[in-house]
Amino acid sequence: MQHLEQMSDKPTTIKEIAKLLDISVSTVSRALNDHSSIGLITKMRVKKMAKELNYEPNQRAIQFLQGKSHTIGVILPELAESFFSAAISGIEDIAYKRNYTVLLAQSHDDADREKLLIEKMKMQRVDGLLISVSKTTNTYEHFEAFKKSNIPIVFFDRIPPVKNIHFVASNLESGTFEAVNFLLKKGHRTIGMINGPTNLVASTERKNGYIKAMTSHRLKFDPSLMVNCDLTEAGTIESMDNFLNHKRKPTAIVTFNDYVALFAIRYARSLNIQINKDIDFVSYANLPLINYMDFTPIASVEQFPYKQGKKAADILLDLINKPKSDSDAEPAYYNVVVESELIIGKEK
Amino acid sequence: MQHLEQMSDKPTTIKEIAKLLDISVSTVSRALNDHSSIGLITKMRVKKMAKELNYEPNQRAIQFLQGKSHTIGVILPELAESFFSAAISGIEDIAYKRNYTVLLAQSHDDADREKLLIEKMKMQRVDGLLISVSKTTNTYEHFEAFKKSNIPIVFFDRIPPVKNIHFVASNLESGTFEAVNFLLKKGHRTIGMINGPTNLVASTERKNGYIKAMTSHRLKFDPSLMVNCDLTEAGTIESMDNFLNHKRKPTAIVTFNDYVALFAIRYARSLNIQINKDIDFVSYANLPLINYMDFTPIASVEQFPYKQGKKAADILLDLINKPKSDSDAEPAYYNVVVESELIIGKEK
DNA sequence: TAAATTTACACAAACGTTTGCACAACAATC
DNA sequence: GATTGTTGTGCAAACGTTTGTGTAAATTTA
């Protein structure tokens, strides 16, 4: 049997197989899909020919036909940020496992670009959208529009202030609570916190966790031990000075993130303060390198971005594949909070 | 005019617009695409109706029809690695700018999974593929197969040992040359290098750069000043001991990467060696945090992953859009080497 | 042996869009 | 008043695949 050397041009189609075997396309299709109504001999012939011609089903055609793209859109602010790159890693892992494909884009924290991307994703007919909204996003109608088109959205980490949405987010309150609790149990009574700007939810969560831990130990919250820092090095140093000159000098300090921890520790060392001796430090994990450093916080609050990404992707795919809203008036919304957790530094 | 409340179910199609306006689909299509042969009035009517119904062209259908997906596949080993997350960021930026869409997947350095992903990408009919091959990949026929299907591939950073391919990679030789040169100019004559395993191309490049710099200063290469390290902390310490007990004790050390630098510096400090005083350190930039640390290398070789990602994407898109190989027998291959560069530590 | 059932296949429609071609209506030219 | 040209529109095919329905031939049943 000599059928033209497979021309390395256009991919083989089901039609060509049909023509070469002198059977109908439908038979070929069914044969390839092991449909019961096709004879064994025909199946074999078709499959053999398909393999010979390197046939590969055109997914685009199938997706178009079935109105399903088997693709999820993912919009993140910035892939270079380690939190998000860890998250996308988890998202892709789940998508791969569940046989979905990931369409990726970054908003660069630009609300306009984000809006455009959402539009694009809709036109691409993604089966679902996973998004961590940009910092500058302050209108939310486009999400509503997306929702109307019956494509599920799962929000992730940065959640818009809108009702009736699915989301996965971490709660820093629990981790902060644990962190402060841990310090209290170690005997500390004067615990400073270098918190972030007051307009961040993350700052509020930290504050609440702090207060909760204090009151749970029947200690009252001293507001002067919590400073709001702009997270720069200068701001950090200022905050540290504030504490060091405080009438109640903290014996432990919780810092907003690893950068702040770094600045604070460096500054403290320059003043000959013994790290984790004179003052214990606790931070929030966001940088991979921190564990390799000389003077690191004795513990840090972990947010599990990889795990969060997986969870969010799983929820989205569940939503996509759920057995069609059985006319239930009020659908249930996934509001998953991944509790943060205190990780106590490994010795050495 | 009262046409049914837009049912928030299936997206509007061109057909519905046609029916409502009682004109043909072809007219609607042309009107929306501002085809010259459609009357102004009709155009207006169509556009108005399209807007009213929130019409959005079904890209999947168009892609299918035109046999172009306007999508590039990107396969990277590990998104959580900062080199690759910086790269994907650049890739996505270019793709976005040039109106392409990014299909992302990670191989996790698993050759089998990589093969599968390539297969998937082909079935998805991506217009091009960008890939950094996994560490375990040792057969390359699947790339050939891909190539046969006329979909361009651009290899990125980790290049397979195959002829006639497009690639973008960094060359560490130039940066290493600069680094050693820099140290020589500072007066150092005994420069140690903690290199990586010999089987890595990256190790060879470093070695070559080192030798080149030495010979350019009419110094001869002392092999005992270059050790191959397994890049663990223990290995690094061993390497350091080697140097410190050497008859020619190095006054400067080049480390394979930031982790090694960290280990080496930490160990040196534990021996009360003054960093960048008794011994100058130079490393290769791969971790964002390094700049924030107390004792950092005085300089580091930068590979510009973001820039490399952009470059690779640009090349791929050029290949995709090039005016169809005008029957030229031997196509030209892009072999772009992004030279690495020495960045001298910012003061303070 | 006729009827009923099963087996194995073909036909054709459908998905949403673009595009070559045909064609009508009307205006302009000779 | 016949020809040519222009303008605006519709028809139908095409892309690759799946799938409902129709229908011969082969097999079983009565």
Side-chain angles (χ1 to χ4, degrees):
Chain A
M1 35 180 78
Q2 29 65 282
H3 21 257
L4 35 148
E5 286 274 322
Q6 70 199 18
M7 39 175 190
S8 64
D9 219 339
K10 294 281 154 225
T12 325
T13 71
I14 226 173
K15 280 186 187 172
E16 309 177 41
I17 299 180
K19 192 175 294 174
L20 283 169
L21 258 44
D22 200 41
I23 55 181
S24 78
V25 281
S26 51
T27 304
V28 176
S29 170
R30 283 189 248 255
L32 291 172
N33 292 314
D34 271 323
H35 195 283
S36 64
S37 77
I38 301 296
L40 203 61
I41 341 93
T42 323
K43 270 186 193 171
M44 304 260 281
R45 287 180 62 217
V46 170
K47 285 184 180 175
K48 186 169 166 233
M49 180 63 77
K51 179 155 268 173
E52 254 177 82
L53 298 183
N54 280 316
Y55 169 74
E56 287 185 324
N58 184 336
Q59 291 298 336
R60 296 278 158 177
I62 297 175
Q63 290 164 5
F64 162 58
L65 175 65
Q66 311 191 323
K68 291 267 151 221
S69 63
H70 259 243
T71 298
I72 60 173
V74 178
I75 300 178
L76 298 177
E78 195 65 56
L79 292 169
E81 262 183 50
S82 70
F83 182 88
F84 293 121
S85 62
I88 181 69
S89 178
I91 293 168
E92 199 274 328
D93 281 350
I94 291 299
Y96 173 84
K97 199 188 292 176
R98 298 181 61 168
N99 209 27
Y100 272 74
T101 273
V102 173
L103 217 52
L104 180 71
Q106 45 191 344
S107 67
H108 289 304
D109 273 321
D110 173 346
D112 292 335
R113 176 157 170 169
E114 181 179 274
K115 209 164 174 176
L116 235 136
L117 285 171
I118 291 177
E119 211 43 54
K120 232 177 159 179
M121 295 282 183
K122 199 156 75 180
M123 296 202 302
Q124 290 286 346
R125 299 294 196 264
V126 296
D127 290 344
L129 182 65
L130 219 111
I131 182 171
S132 189
V133 305
S134 99
K135 276 176 190 159
T136 61
T137 303
N138 50 19
T139 92
Y140 308 100
E141 305 87 36
H142 43 305
F143 296 133
E144 294 297 335
F146 205 90
K147 216 174 155 185
K148 276 228 184 73
S149 62
N150 258 346
I151 309 173
I153 308 187
V154 171
F155 293 93
F156 171 76
D157 192 56
R158 302 229 208 111
I159 317 298
V162 180
K163 280 291 144 210
N164 292 340
I165 55 174
H166 306 281
F167 70 76
V168 174
S170 55
N171 181 5
L172 295 165
E173 189 177 313
S174 56
T176 306
F177 176 83
E178 282 184 65
V180 176
N181 220 24
F182 165 74
L183 291 171
L184 289 168
K185 280 200 180 126
K186 268 194 90 185
H188 294 284
R189 282 301 171 268
T190 314
I191 301 172
M193 172 173 255
I194 304 184
N195 207 345
T198 47
N199 63 324
L200 295 186
V201 187
S203 301
T204 312
E205 289 175 357
R206 282 169 172 81
K207 183 175 177 179
N208 292 341
Y210 179 101
I211 296 178
K212 222 177 218 170
M214 296 300 278
T215 53
S216 83
H217 274 245
R218 301 181 198 290
L219 296 169
K220 75 160 183 285
F221 169 54
D222 178 352
S224 71
L225 285 174
M226 176 168 302
V227 298
N228 292 106
C229 171
D230 62 2
L231 310 179
T232 64
E233 176 153 24
T236 304
I237 290 176
E238 195 182 325
S239 306
M240 284 296 287
D241 276 334
N242 182 327
F243 286 148
L244 298 175
N245 299 323
H246 199 280
K247 53 188 190 300
R248 298 174 63 195
K249 193 164 125 187
T251 57
I253 293 178
V254 180
T255 55
F256 187 84
N257 65 26
D258 281 340
Y259 291 102
V260 171
L262 213 60
F263 299 144
I265 289 176
R266 185 194 302 176
Y267 182 63
R269 291 192 53 244
S270 77
L271 301 177
N272 279 318
I273 293 170
Q274 304 277 317
I275 305 305
N276 298 336
K277 211 159 172 187
D278 298 339
I279 300 181
D280 275 353
F281 282 88
V282 171
S283 181
Y284 294 78
N286 33 26
L287 296 170
L289 186 58
I290 203 88
N291 296 317
Y292 293 91
M293 292 177 31
D294 291 341
F295 295 96
T296 65
I298 49 170
S300 67
V301 178
E302 176 61 63
Q303 293 180 73
F304 310 107
Y306 176 81
K307 194 171 136 191
Q308 277 192 60
K310 283 175 74 166
K311 186 72 193 166
D314 258 329
I315 289 176
L316 182 61
L317 293 180
D318 286 350
L319 284 170
I320 290 173
N321 296 310
K322 83 152 179 279
K324 201 64 186 168
S325 54
D326 346 304
S327 73
D328 49 304
E330 201 49 37
Y333 288 97
Y334 287 93
N335 288 0
V336 173
V337 175
V338 175
E339 297 298 334
S340 54
E341 220 173 81
L342 187 72
I343 307 286
I344 296 172
K346 12 196 179 318
E347 297 312 305
K348 267 192 92 125
Chain B
M1 37 178 73
Q2 28 66 281
H3 20 258
L4 36 148
E5 285 277 321
Q6 70 197 15
M7 42 182 186
S8 65
D9 219 340
K10 293 282 155 225
T12 326
T13 73
I14 227 172
K15 280 186 188 172
E16 309 178 40
I17 299 181
K19 193 176 292 175
L20 283 169
L21 258 42
D22 201 39
I23 56 181
S24 79
V25 280
S26 49
T27 303
V28 176
S29 171
R30 284 189 249 256
L32 290 172
N33 292 314
D34 271 323
H35 196 283
S36 63
S37 76
I38 300 295
L40 203 62
I41 342 94
T42 322
K43 270 186 193 168
M44 305 259 280
R45 286 181 63 216
V46 170
K47 285 183 180 174
K48 184 167 168 235
M49 181 63 78
K51 179 154 268 176
E52 252 178 84
L53 298 182
N54 280 317
Y55 170 75
E56 286 183 327
N58 184 338
Q59 292 298 336
R60 295 279 156 178
I62 297 176
Q63 290 164 5
F64 162 58
L65 175 64
Q66 310 191 323
K68 291 268 150 220
S69 64
H70 259 241
T71 297
I72 60 173
V74 177
I75 301 177
L76 297 177
E78 196 64 57
L79 292 169
E81 262 183 47
S82 70
F83 182 88
F84 293 120
S85 62
I88 181 67
S89 179
I91 293 167
E92 198 274 327
D93 280 350
I94 292 297
Y96 174 82
K97 200 190 292 178
R98 298 182 61 169
N99 210 24
Y100 272 73
T101 273
V102 173
L103 218 52
L104 180 72
Q106 45 190 345
S107 67
H108 289 305
D109 273 320
D110 174 346
D112 292 334
R113 176 157 169 168
E114 180 180 275
K115 209 165 175 174
L116 236 136
L117 285 172
I118 291 178
E119 210 44 54
K120 232 177 161 180
M121 294 282 183
K122 198 154 78 180
M123 295 203 302
Q124 289 285 345
R125 299 292 195 267
V126 296
D127 290 343
L129 182 65
L130 220 113
I131 181 171
S132 188
V133 306
S134 99
K135 276 178 190 158
T136 60
T137 303
N138 50 18
T139 93
Y140 308 100
E141 306 88 36
H142 44 304
F143 296 133
E144 295 296 335
F146 205 89
K147 215 174 155 184
K148 276 228 185 71
S149 62
N150 258 346
I151 309 174
I153 309 188
V154 171
F155 293 93
F156 171 76
D157 192 55
R158 302 229 206 110
I159 318 297
V162 179
K163 281 290 144 208
N164 294 340
I165 55 173
H166 306 279
F167 69 75
V168 173
S170 55
N171 181 4
L172 294 165
E173 190 178 310
S174 56
T176 307
F177 176 82
E178 281 184 65
V180 177
N181 221 24
F182 164 75
L183 292 170
L184 289 168
K185 281 204 179 122
K186 268 196 90 185
H188 294 284
R189 282 302 171 267
T190 315
I191 301 172
M193 174 174 254
I194 303 183
N195 208 345
T198 47
N199 63 324
L200 295 186
V201 188
S203 301
T204 313
E205 290 175 356
R206 282 169 172 80
K207 183 174 180 181
N208 292 341
Y210 179 100
I211 296 179
K212 221 177 220 170
M214 296 301 277
T215 53
S216 83
H217 274 245
R218 302 180 196 293
L219 296 169
K220 74 161 185 284
F221 170 54
D222 178 352
S224 71
L225 285 175
M226 177 169 302
V227 298
N228 292 105
C229 171
D230 62 2
L231 310 179
T232 64
E233 175 153 24
T236 303
I237 290 176
E238 196 182 325
S239 306
M240 284 296 288
D241 276 335
N242 182 327
F243 285 148
L244 298 175
N245 300 326
H246 199 282
K247 54 185 189 302
R248 299 174 63 195
K249 192 165 126 188
T251 58
I253 292 178
V254 181
T255 55
F256 186 84
N257 65 26
D258 282 340
Y259 290 104
V260 172
L262 213 60
F263 298 145
I265 289 176
R266 184 193 305 176
Y267 182 62
R269 292 192 54 245
S270 77
L271 301 178
N272 278 319
I273 292 170
Q274 304 278 315
I275 305 305
N276 299 335
K277 210 158 172 188
D278 299 338
I279 300 180
D280 275 352
F281 281 88
V282 171
S283 182
Y284 294 78
N286 32 26
L287 297 171
L289 186 57
I290 202 89
N291 295 316
Y292 293 91
M293 291 176 33
D294 290 342
F295 295 96
T296 66
I298 49 170
S300 68
V301 178
E302 176 61 64
Q303 293 180 72
F304 310 108
Y306 177 80
K307 196 172 134 192
Q308 277 192 61
K310 281 175 76 166
K311 186 73 194 163
D314 258 328
I315 289 177
L316 182 60
L317 293 180
D318 286 349
L319 285 169
I320 290 173
N321 295 311
K322 83 153 178 277
K324 200 65 187 165
S325 54
D326 345 304
S327 72
D328 51 306
E330 201 49 37
Y333 288 97
Y334 286 94
N335 289 359
V336 173
V337 174
V338 175
E339 298 298 335
S340 54
E341 220 173 82
L342 187 73
I343 306 287
I344 297 173
K346 14 196 180 314
E347 297 311 306
K348 268 191 92 112

